[in-house]
Amino acid sequence: MAFYGQIIKTLLETKHSLLPHAPADPEAAQEKQLNGLLEEAKNTAFGKFYNFQGILEQEDIREAFRKSVPIHDYNTINDRWWKQQRRNPDITWPGRPEFFALSSGTTGKKSKRIPVTDEMLACTQAVGRAQAECLANFKLPAEIFEKDILMLTSSADLNEKDGWLEGEISGINVSNMPDFMDSVYKPGIEIAQIADWDERVQRIAEEAPKWDVGALAGIPSWIVMMLRKVIEVNKLKNIHEIWPNLQIYTTGGVAFEPYRKSFEALLDHPIIIMDTYLASEGFFAFNARPETMAMEIALDHGMYFEFIPHDEDGFDATGQMLDKPKVVDFRDVKENKDYALLVSTPAGAWRYMIGDTIKFVDKEKMEIVITGRTKYWLNVVGSQLSEEKLNAAIAELNEQMGSEIKEFTVGAVPTEDGNDYYHQWVLGINDGELSEEKALEVLDAHLKKVNKNYKVAREKALKGVRVKVTQANNLYDFLEKKKNKKGGQIKFPKVMVADDLKQLLEFLD
């Protein structure tokens, strides 16, 4: 009998039933979070400049905050504030951050440095505990709470630089893991600190027989690559041969659905898959109940959220935010409408645009799904294709053709005369073959059927569709050559501008 596992399970179920993790009044909870953030930072340089004390004295602090503090992207807040925060205390948050998260994001350009304060680490851990408490909803056996948890992260070997430590956020989080996790965390800090990706995965594969893994966590592309290596090195048919108690996979970082077929092919039987929204800037949402991949947004954990409609009220046709976009808080969001996310956090991020788009699928349950990136908005000729619509088209292609498209990108390219455009798709398959002609027909027909704007565009300036099929590893090779990073370690861009597409096609040829 799993004695300790039963104790943990009982404690989780008791706390979950007696002390629900979700706020009974989410609107009031969000006002409380904003109030706490403003109080804490009112004497910082940022707080004095934007008169946080005056905002706190207003009847509606959410409206006053919206009117007083401008929207920031990374460049605007970094150039004016965060660069100072690296050298001086009390700039956007009290004190100086001990950590900075390096984020190359989707494009692999020069790394951003996102401050990670002690309060932000505590916030992230609080959201993690809330998700752990929600395991009570999944009716798991007691034994699972005694098994190892394998977290595949970026390197935990942080770099020291001018008085702070820096690395990718998953490496920072592992380096600050609570002590009670030491006995179950795998692969352990020694292996997690191996900087070279291939060497780290090789060591995991070699050590795998010593562990009894019950749960996995990591970006889907990383996890699939790692599981294949474990299976290869240990000469297995599937991963359950070596980890028979594996029952949970916590995904995040990118959409899971394009990887589902590849992932499930490595299992002997289905397991629970839970989604998370964990970014360099914070842990924003988590899957809280079975039978859905929607995530409960963390409205009561020290962060404040605002939302910009991802339509003509917030963005122009090229995906650029308007000078004066409409902005709403949780009180006024609508279900099934795309929004760009703004966050204010105890890292000293204020009205910061993450770059992701989300939609509420159940406002009462506070559940969202990530629908894409603000810049993954293919609308050059009015086709209005969001990342969610592009992912759905690829899913339809996989369903109809029995294919396994692991990565893809698409963009609008001018025709030879420069008067019109065509959409160029590049599809990275895992193995086998896929007819480019048939793929073109399926993608074009599906988008015409489900998206009236695309159908209209195809009758006007969008004069054609072209498809290039290649092995997914070739796309990763392109990223490694162009960005100097392993392909599985950065997000492959779902939408490319014409010049980047030309470079990719030349590389593939």
Side-chain angles (χ1 to χ4, degrees):
M1 178 179 178
F3 179 73
Y4 292 108
Q6 187 60 54
I7 292 175
I8 295 171
K9 180 180 180 181
T10 301
L11 286 173
L12 286 176
E13 291 175 344
T14 302
K15 185 174 181 182
H16 188 70
S17 60
L18 297 179
L19 297 171
H21 67 282
D25 186 344
E27 294 180 6
Q30 273 289 273
E31 182 171 12
K32 180 180 178 181
Q33 307 316 304
L34 178 58
N35 189 89
L37 289 166
L38 295 173
E39 281 283 359
E40 190 71 23
K42 66 184 179 183
N43 292 320
T44 63
F46 191 96
K48 291 176 180 177
F49 188 84
Y50 289 109
N51 191 18
F52 281 8
Q53 181 60 54
I55 295 173
L56 286 163
E57 294 169 359
Q58 301 303 306
E59 183 176 348
D60 187 341
I61 65 169
R62 289 167 287 191
E63 181 66 22
F65 180 64
R66 187 182 309 160
K67 290 180 178 179
S68 300
V69 180
I71 294 170
H72 295 90
D73 61 13
Y74 175 76
N75 290 329
T76 54
I77 198 167
N78 181 64
D79 290 347
R80 186 167 186 182
W81 301 101
W82 282 351
K83 283 183 178 179
Q84 298 182 59
Q85 187 91 343
R86 296 171 204 159
R87 310 291 180 188
N88 304 301
D90 306 332
I91 302 300
T92 61
W93 192 257
R96 273 184 62 196
E98 184 179 350
F99 303 95
F100 280 85
L102 299 179
S103 172
S104 58
T106 305
T107 61
K109 295 179 180 178
K110 185 178 179 181
S111 290
K112 302 174 182 178
R113 283 188 172 88
I114 312 294
V116 182
T117 62
D118 290 345
E119 292 83 356
M120 193 68 239
L121 287 170
C123 175
T124 296
Q125 291 174 7
V127 180
R129 287 193 299 272
Q131 183 176 31
E133 291 167 14
C134 288
L135 291 175
N137 292 327
F138 288 82
K139 309 302 181 186
L140 291 162
E143 292 80 8
I144 193 66
F145 298 101
E146 296 182 357
K147 304 305 178 184
D148 295 326
I149 302 172
L150 174 54
M151 301 180 185
L152 189 59
T153 66
S154 54
S155 174
D157 185 18
L158 306 179
N159 300 316
E160 187 171 355
K161 183 178 177 67
D162 300 333
W164 69 81
L165 296 172
E166 62 183 29
E168 294 186 36
I169 189 61
S170 57
I172 293 174
N173 287 334
V174 165
S175 299
N176 290 274
M177 191 175 298
D179 292 341
F180 70 83
M181 288 288 293
D182 288 346
S183 62
V184 295
Y185 164 61
K186 297 294 181 282
I189 197 67
E190 179 187 347
I191 294 177
Q193 288 181 336
I194 297 174
D196 182 80
W197 165 260
D198 293 324
E199 182 183 350
R200 191 171 352 126
V201 172
Q202 180 67 30
R203 282 289 306 278
I204 289 172
E206 293 168 355
E207 296 293 318
K210 302 176 183 178
W211 307 330
D212 188 2
V213 174
L216 295 171
I219 293 174
S221 57
W222 298 16
I223 290 291
V224 168
M225 292 167 68
M226 182 270 292
L227 292 181
R228 284 179 175 154
K229 177 60 71 172
V230 172
I231 290 170
E232 173 193 336
V233 169
N234 294 282
K235 298 179 172 56
L236 310 171
K237 294 180 181 178
N238 59 70
I239 201 63
H240 277 113
E241 286 191 344
I242 196 168
W243 297 329
N245 294 303
L246 176 61
Q247 298 188 50
I248 303 171
Y249 168 44
T250 302
T251 181
V254 297
F256 175 71
E257 287 306 319
Y259 298 91
R260 181 181 290 276
K261 189 173 181 179
S262 299
F263 177 78
E264 292 181 342
L266 304 174
L267 309 176
D268 177 62
H269 53 265
I271 65 174
I272 294 170
I273 298 172
M274 304 174 70
D275 208 354
T276 59
Y277 187 0
L278 178 58
S280 297
E281 295 83 0
F283 192 173
F284 302 130
F286 56 89
N287 186 210
R289 61 188 180 93
E291 300 177 1
T292 181
M293 288 288 280
M295 297 173 288
E296 183 181 299
I297 191 166
L299 297 180
D300 196 25
H301 296 81
M303 298 171 289
Y304 180 68
F305 299 97
E306 296 171 278
F307 311 90
I308 306 174
H310 196 226
D311 57 22
E312 62 276 3
D313 288 332
F315 294 83
D316 65 20
T318 66
Q320 296 298 309
M321 187 180 70
L322 302 178
D323 290 337
K324 294 183 178 180
K326 180 179 180 180
V327 182
V328 298
D329 55 51
F330 183 77
R331 294 173 294 184
D332 297 317
V333 293
K334 307 296 183 186
E335 290 184 359
N336 297 312
K337 180 179 177 66
D338 281 7
Y339 293 97
L341 184 65
L342 298 179
V343 298
S344 297
T345 76
W350 298 104
R351 307 199 76 213
Y352 182 90
M353 188 162 73
I354 298 292
D356 294 327
T357 58
I358 62 97
K359 69 179 177 184
F360 282 84
V361 293
D362 190 324
K363 185 177 178 181
E364 183 178 355
K365 290 186 174 68
M366 303 174 292
E367 288 181 342
I368 66 169
V369 294
I370 301 171
T371 56
R373 299 283 292 173
T374 54
K375 59 188 172 186
Y376 289 171
W377 175 244
L378 187 52
N379 196 33
V380 174
V381 289
S383 54
Q384 294 192 18
L385 294 178
S386 65
E387 185 178 355
E388 183 183 36
K389 291 185 175 69
L390 298 175
N391 283 335
I394 293 296
E396 177 67 19
L397 177 58
N398 281 334
E399 179 69 22
Q400 287 198 33
M401 300 292 293
S403 54
E404 189 178 335
I405 297 170
K406 189 175 180 182
E407 300 285 2
F408 72 89
T409 191
V410 62
V413 179
T415 54
E416 284 71 13
D417 60 14
N419 295 325
D420 299 300
Y421 288 84
Y422 62 90
H423 277 178
Q424 174 69 61
W425 290 80
V426 180
L427 309 178
I429 59 175
N430 194 44
D431 51 35
E433 296 181 355
L434 176 63
S435 164
E436 293 179 345
E437 182 179 355
K438 184 62 177 176
L440 185 158
E441 292 176 3
V442 173
L443 290 170
D444 195 35
H446 172 78
L447 290 172
K448 284 178 180 177
K449 180 179 178 180
V450 302
N451 188 340
K452 64 180 181 181
N453 296 299
Y454 177 86
K455 183 177 181 180
V456 170
R458 287 288 283 114
E459 296 168 353
K460 295 182 179 179
L462 185 57
K463 294 302 183 184
V465 180
R466 301 179 188 179
V467 170
K468 172 74 173 179
V469 175
T470 187
Q471 295 297 307
N473 285 339
N474 294 333
L475 301 185
Y476 294 147
D477 289 344
F478 171 75
L479 285 183
E480 187 168 1
K481 179 178 179 181
K482 185 177 176 61
K483 311 297 185 185
N484 196 30
K485 282 199 174 185
K486 292 289 183 183
Q489 294 178 272
I490 56 177
K491 304 170 188 175
F492 200 91
K494 297 294 192 295
V495 175
M496 281 188 175
V497 297
D499 288 345
D500 286 348
L501 269 173
K502 181 179 179 182
Q503 289 183 40
L504 174 59
L505 293 171
E506 288 174 352
F507 177 85
L508 295 175
D509 288 338

